[in-house]
Amino acid sequence: MEAALNDVLELSPPQITQSSEYEHSSSSASNRTSSTSPFPEPQSVFPPSSFQKLDFPQCDLTSSAYQSQNIFLDYIPVGSLSIDRAATQTWVPIDHRNTSLLGPKCPLTPLIKADWARASVCQHAIRAWEAIIRVYVLPDDIGRRYIERNDRILQKRLHEVMSMLDISIDAWEGKSLPGAPFQKFKTDSDDKDSLFYLFNTIPSPDSESLKVTCDTAQDAINSIFESESLSNLRTALHPYQKRTVATMIRREVQPRRSLDPRLSPTKGPLGHTFFYNCQTGQILLNKREYDDVKGGVLAESMGLGKTLISLATILATKGHWPSIPPEYSFGLDPVRPATGSLMQMAAAAIGREQIPWRTIFQELSKSGEDHKGCLEILEENVGSYKIPSTPRRHSRRPSTIPEPRKIRLSSATIIIVPQNLLSQWQHEIAQHFALGTFKMISLDSEKGATMPRASLLMSYDIILITRQRFEYELCPVSSKSISAARCICPPYAYCHCPANFDYDTPLKDLHFLRLIMDEGHEFAGGRKNNLYFALARLRVDRKWIVSGTPASGLLGVEVGSAAYGAQQPSIHTNAQLLENRKHEPGFQQELKDLDSLRMLVTGFLDMKPWSNGKHEDPANWGQYITPYKDGRRKPSSLKTLLQSLVVRHQIEDVEADVQLPPLYNQVVHLEPTWQDKLSQNAFIISLTVNAVTSERVDEDYMFHPKNKPVLHQLINNLRQSGFYWTGFAPDELHKTLQVAQQYLQEHSGLRSSCSEYDRLLLQHTIATGDMILKSPSWKAFSELYEMGMFVDNFPIECRDAWTLVPRRDSDPMLFGVTQLAKAQKWVDNHLYEGTQLLRSLAAIGKTAMTKTWHDLQRTQEAVVPQDKPAERPAINGINVGGAAKKQKTQKTTFAGQPKLTEHFTVSKARVAPGLHTAKTPSTANNSTKAGTSSNSQSSLKSGLKTPRPVTPLDADSDLAHSTLRGTASRKLSYLLDRVVELHEEEKILIFYEGDHIAYYIAQAFDLIDVRYLIYTRTLDLAMKSAYIATFNATPTFRVMLMNIHEAAHGLHIASASRIFFVNPIWQPNVEAQAIKRAHRIGQCRPVYVETLVLKDTLEDQILQRRRNMTAQEHQRAEKSLLDDEPMSAIIKEARLLPLHVEESRHVEKQVAELNNPVKLFGRMGNGNIDQDNPYADLIFPIETSKTKKLITKKTKEAEIEAMAFDLPTLGERKRKPGEVDAIENNVQEGNILESRHPAKRRVGFVVNDEKDVPSSRPQLNLDPDIVMDDAGSPSASRKGPSRRVVGFDLGGDSNDASSSPDNTRSAGQPRRSVNFTFGGGGAECSGSIFG
């Protein structure tokens, strides 16, 4: 560095006197200004009284000289330079008048000429051949009126000079020893702590620094720690939750002032402190501070009660008012035409001072006091301010200036929630707070719900709104969508819907106290979206993001440890994992996380100086926050930012207050079955043939970059095949083998480019493929998309009718699960047919199987054959190569798998005796939480249908001994065993990735009478909320199957204590998020997690690779495991699973046997289950037009049954003699039928004339054998003299005279009547029943 300075400095021999730096004569002004003196009179560049003189210690100046002739007045000594040059033994000052002493190439020269710096030169005290240059810099906050400080060239020069200075005191005095270390300003940090480590080491909130100057706010903080103060809070807060709530209030009311994060306090060589920006070289004499934001990020870890913490904060500050922005705080005093009364003036002063009067009067009203007049005048004088209208552009046309917009203060808190979490917030409020604690309005995405006007919104404490609705209210809509919209407001009401072109949401007329955005990490998308612009239009005083993971890399260490397998909980897991990730490299992922954090800081929280405008000295995020590529941090900026922004506890501080139940996470390795091996091998055969025949080059090769989307889909299918897969068509596999054989024939010569290894590989592949094609069971499953079920002791006379594959009588019978379910349902509905049962069962089987194979053949014939085969074989229905077109193949990949419809996502299984049953009508209403609506139809149906006694099957009957021996999937058999073992005592979550997996599991649960719910993507908001609420609140459904991608954030399912992953999850964070749905505050049981893995398969290798990956490797491969090079290599080198001939010949070796075979027939239980309405037992927290239809489904049929059976739930009435007894005494089995008719609706069911039928109330189930004709009458197609048809006519409303000619009603009669007719059997009678 000294050599560089010698090159740029051109010092001429100094023509100066041998005097001290400041030893100039002060005798007269003429001497000081003489032309012979090299230094004219020293003077400050500022007026004499502009600034206070600086007093530097260790200065060798006399007081008189310093005050009279100091040219360094207002300049700060910052360091020194050393050069190889002779100099005088006394200090020679240098200012803009004698810069020639430094030479034109010296970086100091332009700075001194512009009065940005000063210097002085002296000979080194030890090394006489060296000269020392002392540098003084004018602070940037001094003298800006007189000196231009925005010159970017000079700023760059100053930064350059500051990087060259030695700031040691020895160098400043010219006494530094040879080889002494060169002390520079600290421009970067040696700290390489990862963002993950910084986030997890943020200090926990404490109870010591919670004092505020505002008495009202201090009372709110004190109330958190006093159990009696928050009487409406039913749930006691844990100590860590109290500290968090108090810290949030303190940050809202009294945000601390923090030093500008771009500056760092620095001491010069003389010990004087100044503030230095190491990125730009800027120096400030005075501290520059910014207020912290009123709010921040509530980032308590998942499951620690962030929702309750947020609601407790709202309760503690209930009735508090927001502050009026300073720029609008002038001219607020009211101007009255006459002197106001004392009450009016007092009310106006209360409104201006934002005194929380509402809570005060609420407390007074509890003691019986009435202050109606005071409340009315206070409401009229709520604080407000006016925003001047934006001046319009100059125009010659006359225009009126719009009136200023009046903004009224509101004490309400807006809570923005994801659509699927709206009901959960409602449930949390109802569960933890007394009824009436909050006045709340909920606004979902139903466009029919209008926004109340501003005067009504002011009265609410909480405005709970979905993100979609919030954007819908505040974001502008295009003119096209406005013109296409239709106003839905009633004609007498003020229009508040966006269909109005001039619609202006009432949210813009209010200044709200607080805004809370749940799952706020969704806001950090890296770009400005609709939510960003919507928030910019809202005026709010305090803002909070609620998210345990503000960015993908910002998550608690305890969340990451949840995904690691351990049979016993480890005390040191969290600390070890945190230490291991302290210095982890991950530059690219950290850039993404920091960019997400930037959006929260600048877009949502409006945190200074990061959100400053271009004319307000904006701080460049990348310059001060983004680390260097080698991992080094910028000095303290990021750490300071996180500590001022995030509120969270370290996990050890939480565990000191509350201990969650232990979490046990283990991997269960299972031996693959015959079908499991065939499914995996089918994929590997396709990949192997593709690799060899394409010679692993060009676009025909599956792993070519252009085929990455297709390969990604294929690998996902391969992973899901670890559970079960039927997506491969036999002819598709056959074509693949033909391509392999043709390739071998073409490359059989000695000069072939095919290696011996590839040739042997293809031969082995072809042999394995032939074995797969020769498997009749695999072929049947693939063609019908069926899960294989193995049944023992099925009646011999019925085997040929129902079996998928002919077997020996001694072998287990092979069913498709769909066919087995049909057989089970038919047998259970016809248990009383005696000896005719087996004959009928065989006939039904032949019909069902004939129709199944006929439909398959018809589907195959409908496929148009291809004129030319594909040059490359399709892999699982996917063509490879950029130029290849999609083929219309018979069966294609995942599209051919069973699909989950909404009707299939709720179980209709029967509850077996002794298991949990639905709640009775008396208890169902008590369990319904506030803010939710239960299905009243459930209690009605349950009361209606007293089950008939079930006579056991004959002990000698084969049906009585028919059992489910096992399945074709090892994982499914394991799940069935575990669920049967556990579901009576614990609730179970099963996470899956493919909908076909949930479909097969649900079919198996139906067979064994386990009630379930499936939480999948196809459900709308109302149904998702209903499933979560029902699963948590009722014992009816014991198992919930959840799509792993739908269960990652926000859901509270602490009622479950058993978790199963049917396939290994690639992303540990996703797995940990799913586990935390159950392992959270409110969980009372230990949580057991089991991940099912087929031993020695590709998914086993995937799991092993995942365990050995670093956090950075996981982040790089977050979207796809193909982004991980070692994993991609593992897939490329995947080899076939060994198949044994014995497995193909012996059926017993193909069965994944159950530990306890399950009885199939005669399992009908005594539970009150309405099979006609599968939604009868659901709780619907959100009412929509769809849920109302589900709640009232089959209401008219229920009315008929209630009137016929005279249920107490519908009230007592007197029946006519013989009116209903004839029905009760003759009905054994009813089958409700319904047809639409212009005048009326007819309902028919079959009556059996057997005399020994007990007079019990019938259980009416749908029977497909009875149909209604076009005229609305029952068809007389049923055979047998003992069967007759009973028909009911439902009359229309009383106001509709044309509804039915038989439905005339006189005055005083009920609104609805039922006309019934008995026909058949030579007897006929009729009558009426009035409801």
Side-chain angles (χ1 to χ4, degrees), residues 331-347:
L332 298 179
D333 295 332
V335 179
R336 300 186 179 92
T339 303
S341 65
L342 182 60
M343 179 178 288
Q344 289 176 335
M345 289 187 289

Side-chain angles (χ1 to χ4, degrees), residues 240 301-306 558-563 569-570 574 651 654-655 658-665 989 991 1047 1051-1059 1061 1071-1089:
Y240 79 89
S301 187
M302 290 176 294
L304 296 184
K306 293 187 292 294
E558 68 283 355
V559 177
S561 63
S570 175
N574 294 332
I651 186 59
V654 175
E655 292 175 348
V658 58
Q659 188 69 38
L660 286 177
L663 172 67
Y664 301 91
N665 192 344
L989 292 177
F991 289 102
L1051 297 178
H1052 176 90
I1053 320 177
S1055 59
S1057 56
R1058 294 281 178 171
I1059 299 175
F1061 293 96
E1071 179 182 347
Q1073 293 270 9
I1075 293 173
K1076 282 297 180 178
R1077 299 311 103 213
H1079 191 244
R1080 57 198 300 118
I1081 292 293
Q1083 179 59 260
C1084 302
R1085 296 172 176 264
V1087 176
Y1088 295 88
V1089 182

Side-chain angles (χ1 to χ4, degrees), residues 937 940-941 944 1172 1192-1203 1232-1235 1241-1243 1260 1290:
Q937 187 72 5
L940 175 63
K941 287 286 187 179
L944 274 172
D1172 294 331
T1192 58
K1193 187 179 180 182
K1194 298 180 184 258
T1195 301
K1196 293 187 178 181
E1197 287 82 347
E1199 291 177 2
I1200 296 172
E1201 297 170 42
M1203 289 182 287
I1232 292 212
L1233 294 148
E1234 179 181 337
S1235 67
R1241 300 173 66 198
R1242 295 180 69 87
V1243 176
L1260 306 181
L1290 273 67

Side-chain angles (χ1 to χ4, degrees), residues 645-933:
L645 189 68
V646 177
V647 178
R648 73 182 308 272
H649 278 79
Q650 297 181 14
I651 186 59
E652 55 269 18
D653 295 328
V654 175
E655 292 175 348
D657 295 335
V658 58
Q659 188 69 38
L660 286 177
L663 172 67
Y664 301 91
N665 192 344
Q666 64 175 339
V667 176
V668 179
H669 288 89
L670 303 171
E671 289 289 343
T673 64
W674 171 257
Q675 295 297 331
D676 293 332
K677 293 178 182 179
L678 297 187
S679 298
Q680 296 267 305
N681 282 345
F683 280 95
I684 298 175
I685 286 172
S686 298
L687 288 172
T688 302
V689 172
N690 172 266
V692 176
T693 57
S694 67
E695 299 180 355
R696 300 177 180 86
V697 294
D698 297 335
E699 296 181 12
D700 287 335
Y701 183 38
M702 175 59 77
F703 287 87
H704 190 275
K706 288 189 176 181
N707 294 325
K708 188 173 182 178
V710 178
L711 180 61
H712 176 71
Q713 179 187 352
L714 177 68
I715 298 305
N716 280 341
N717 293 349
L718 172 58
R719 291 178 58 241
Q720 294 172 22
S721 69
F723 180 84
Y724 195 71
W725 188 260
T726 58
F728 266 101
D731 61 342
E732 187 177 284
L733 181 59
H734 179 68
K735 291 179 180 179
T736 301
L737 298 180
Q738 284 183 333
V739 171
Q741 292 172 346
Q742 182 180 358
Y743 181 85
L744 284 179
Q745 293 174 1
E746 294 175 354
H747 296 76
S748 59
L750 297 177
R751 298 182 180 180
S752 172
S753 59
C754 180
S755 65
E756 184 64 21
Y757 174 80
D758 284 346
R759 183 178 293 105
L760 294 176
L761 186 61
L762 274 188
Q763 291 174 355
H764 179 53
T765 299
I766 293 172
T768 303
D770 289 337
M771 187 176 295
I772 295 175
L773 291 176
K774 291 178 182 178
S775 172
S777 58
W778 180 86
K779 183 177 180 181
F781 297 153
S782 297
E783 290 178 338
L784 298 178
Y785 299 106
E786 286 291 341
M787 168 65 74
M789 314 297 286
F790 294 89
V791 177
D792 277 340
N793 302 321
F794 195 74
I796 297 177
E797 54 266 45
C798 301
R799 290 175 66 97
D800 293 339
W802 284 97
T803 186
L804 283 181
V805 179
R807 299 290 189 186
R808 296 177 301 176
D809 293 344
S810 60
D811 290 336
M813 182 177 170
L814 181 59
F815 273 91
V817 64
T818 304
Q819 290 75 37
L820 184 57
K822 289 181 179 179
Q824 185 190 54
K825 182 178 181 181
W826 195 91
V827 171
D828 289 344
N829 288 337
H830 299 80
L831 288 175
Y832 298 97
E833 293 191 1
T835 58
Q836 300 294 328
L837 180 59
L838 294 182
R839 186 182 305 172
S840 301
L841 178 60
I844 292 296
K846 289 180 179 179
T847 303
M849 296 304 297
T850 300
K851 183 178 183 301
T852 298
W853 292 112
H854 177 71
D855 291 344
L856 173 62
Q857 183 178 3
R858 187 168 52 185
T859 303
Q860 292 174 343
E861 292 174 352
V863 177
V864 179
Q866 300 293 321
D867 296 335
K868 295 182 180 180
E871 295 182 1
R872 288 283 142 212
I875 299 182
N876 195 212
I878 306 174
N879 287 323
V880 183
K885 297 181 179 179
K886 294 183 180 179
Q887 300 181 18
K888 297 182 179 179
T889 54
Q890 169 195 338
K891 307 283 186 182
T892 56
T893 65
F894 190 69
Q897 294 291 322
K899 295 183 179 179
L900 277 178
T901 60
E902 182 178 294
H903 186 74
F904 196 80
T905 58
V906 56
S907 169
K908 299 186 287 288
R910 300 172 297 277
V911 175
L915 299 185
H916 298 270
T917 57
K919 292 185 178 180
T920 60
S922 60
T923 60
N925 293 334
N926 294 334
S927 65
T928 304
K929 302 297 181 182
T932 64
S933 62

Side-chain angles (χ1 to χ4, degrees), residues 56-221:
F56 302 121
Q58 303 180 15
C59 185
D60 56 349
L61 308 178
T62 62
S63 176
S64 59
Y66 182 84
Q67 295 178 0
S68 61
Q69 299 187 13
N70 186 8
I71 67 169
F72 303 101
L73 183 66
D74 305 317
Y75 287 78
I76 297 176
V78 292
S80 60
L81 300 173
S82 176
I83 60 174
D84 292 337
R85 184 75 181 193
T88 61
Q89 296 181 357
T90 56
W91 293 103
V92 179
I94 302 175
D95 63 2
H96 63 280
R97 294 162 293 183
N98 61 338
T99 56
S100 60
L101 295 176
L102 300 177
K105 294 184 179 180
C106 178
L108 273 174
T109 300
L111 296 175
I112 296 177
K113 287 184 176 180
D115 287 324
W116 283 36
R118 294 283 189 265
S120 61
V121 181
C122 182
Q123 177 181 309
H124 195 280
I126 300 175
R127 298 181 295 278
W129 61 89
E130 287 187 7
I132 299 297
I133 302 177
R134 291 178 174 177
V135 180
Y136 303 79
V137 175
L138 180 68
D140 198 60
D141 53 346
I142 300 296
R144 295 187 67 91
R145 291 179 56 188
Y146 307 98
I147 298 178
E148 174 61 37
R149 304 305 299 269
N150 295 324
D151 192 320
R152 294 195 175 184
I153 297 178
L154 293 179
Q155 291 174 352
K156 185 177 180 180
R157 288 291 181 91
L158 177 60
H159 191 203
E160 181 183 352
V161 170
M162 294 295 294
S163 64
M164 301 166 64
L165 297 178
D166 189 340
I167 60 174
S168 65
I169 184 62
D170 291 338
W172 178 265
E173 294 178 352
K175 300 177 182 179
S176 58
L177 299 175
F182 190 87
Q183 298 183 21
K184 298 176 59 177
F185 288 108
K186 193 173 183 180
T187 58
D188 52 31
S189 174
D190 295 332
D191 185 10
K192 294 185 179 182
D193 292 348
S194 64
L195 182 60
F196 176 85
Y197 184 84
L198 292 177
F199 180 75
N200 279 276
T201 53
I202 294 174
S204 301
D206 57 63
S207 56
E208 302 298 330
S209 57
L210 297 176
K211 301 296 182 181
V212 295
T213 57
C214 177
D215 294 337
T216 303
Q218 189 63 56
D219 292 341
I221 292 175

